[in-house]
């Protein structure tokens, strides 16, 4: 019996937007197969549809056509409760980190667990947060507010928040674009090392070819 190594399978995905009376086709019959534990880079210029594509992976954008398979399940066919459960297995870091600026590092990372309908014990929340912060070397900053962090530290914080649920899939939407050149180079190395260590299936979106190849 053949065992599938695929974690993400997009089949014939299309997505159209209607803006100011005009029709914009962001995705046109796209198929993609990402195997477990690998990292895949998607390169393209601004407006090419890169972000739309990975937003379709967790149905933040719902494709007009096609199927979205993650971990062997077709997300397009799930009901709301089932989809919510599957989305918890997908972590995402956006270009703008969307941190809770008035909250501490601990509170930012704990947020995905504390807003979950499925109650998580406070002891489990703390253990998960400490585990995620240790992965990105941010444990010493656990009590600081997000506004007290440097750009690189905020990037690590956003990554820890995406990892706190121990996802099987990680989506990175140009997470380094707001950092300076030296810091981008450092964070590329750290992201690649982390991905290799925890073996989470990752899609990395960028407009920078050098960045994509180095990852």
């Amino acid at each position: 019996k053949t065992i599938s190594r695929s974690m993400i399978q997009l089949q014939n995905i299309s997505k159209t937007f209607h803006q100011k009376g005009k029709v914009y086709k962001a995705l046109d019959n796209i198929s993609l197969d990402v195997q477990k534990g690998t990292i895949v880079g998607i390169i393209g210029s601004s407006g090419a549809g890169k972000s739309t594509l990975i937003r379709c992976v967790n149905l933040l954008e719902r494709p007009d056509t096609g199927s979205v398979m993650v971990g062997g399940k077709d997300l397009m066919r799930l009901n709301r409760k089932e989809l919510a459960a599957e989305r918890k297995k997908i972590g995402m870091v956006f270009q703008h980190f969307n941190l809770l600026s008035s909250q501490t590092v601990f509170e930012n990372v704990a947020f995905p667990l504390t807003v979950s309908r499925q109650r998580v014990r406070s002891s489990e929340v703390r253990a998960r947060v400490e585990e995620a912060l240790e992965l990105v070397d941010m444990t010493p900053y656990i009590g600081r507010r997000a506004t007290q962090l440097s750009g690189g530290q905020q990037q690590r914080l956003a990554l820890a928040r995406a990892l706190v649920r121990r996802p099987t899939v990680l989506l990175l939407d140009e997470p380094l674009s707001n950092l300076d050149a030296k810091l981008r180079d450092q964070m590329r190395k750290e992201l690649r090392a982390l991905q290799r260590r925890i073996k989470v299936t990752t899609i990395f979106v960028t407009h920078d070819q050098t960045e994509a190849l180095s990852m």
Side-chain angles (χ1 to χ4, degrees):
K1 184 179 179 180
T2 302
I3 300 175
S4 174
R5 290 275 304 161
S6 296
M7 176 58 76
I8 302 168
Q9 289 177 299
L10 306 181
Q11 294 286 336
N12 307 117
I13 294 295
S14 294
K15 179 65 179 178
T16 300
F17 294 100
H18 298 267
Q19 298 176 342
K20 297 180 180 179
K22 295 183 179 180
V23 177
Y24 169 59
K25 187 160 244 181
L27 304 174
D28 186 7
N29 199 36
I30 301 293
S31 294
L32 179 68
D33 190 318
V34 182
Q35 295 195 341
K36 294 177 183 177
T38 60
I39 182 167
V40 169
I42 297 177
I43 313 170
S45 59
S46 178
K50 308 182 301 298
S51 295
T52 300
L53 182 62
I54 64 166
R55 287 171 66 86
C56 285
V57 173
N58 59 2
L59 295 197
L60 286 177
E61 296 288 355
R62 194 172 187 90
D64 301 326
T65 62
S67 64
V68 178
M69 303 283 292
V70 179
K73 295 183 179 180
D74 189 345
L75 302 191
M76 300 276 282
R77 295 179 177 273
L78 301 182
N79 61 39
R80 185 176 297 179
K81 185 177 180 180
E82 293 169 333
L83 179 59
E86 291 306 310
R87 276 178 167 161
K88 291 177 182 177
K89 302 174 186 177
I90 303 173
M92 187 164 184
V93 178
F94 299 90
Q95 179 177 355
H96 301 287
F97 303 143
N98 299 327
L99 300 176
L100 304 172
S101 58
S102 63
Q103 303 298 309
T104 65
V105 166
F106 178 90
E107 290 166 332
N108 268 274
V109 180
F111 184 73
L113 301 177
T114 56
V115 298
S116 173
R117 290 184 181 180
Q118 192 173 20
R119 291 180 65 90
V120 182
R121 295 195 307 267
S122 57
S123 59
E124 176 70 8
V125 170
R126 174 157 289 276
R128 291 280 196 98
V129 169
E130 290 176 349
E131 176 187 79
L133 290 175
E134 186 176 351
L135 281 172
V136 297
D137 296 324
M138 282 290 289
T139 303
Y141 306 96
I142 193 169
R144 286 196 189 180
R145 296 197 181 279
T147 51
Q148 297 175 311
L149 302 176
S150 67
Q153 289 166 344
Q154 289 183 357
Q155 199 275 343
R156 291 188 186 93
L157 174 55
L159 187 57
R161 188 175 58 185
L163 295 173
V164 74
R165 282 179 170 163
R166 299 170 183 162
T168 56
V169 169
L170 183 62
L171 306 176
L172 304 175
D173 188 3
E174 302 223 34
L176 309 182
S177 61
N178 291 324
L179 305 180
D180 62 53
K182 185 177 180 180
L183 190 52
R184 278 202 308 272
D185 183 57
Q186 176 188 336
M187 292 309 303
R188 283 199 295 263
K189 294 173 183 174
E190 292 187 14
L191 277 172
R192 189 68 180 105
L194 175 64
Q195 192 275 335
R196 283 175 171 164
R197 188 160 78 250
I198 64 177
K199 295 180 172 60
V200 60
T201 306
T202 302
I203 299 180
F204 183 95
V205 160
T206 180
H207 63 274
D208 188 324
Q209 184 174 346
T210 301
E211 187 169 281
L213 292 173
S214 67
M215 288 287 286

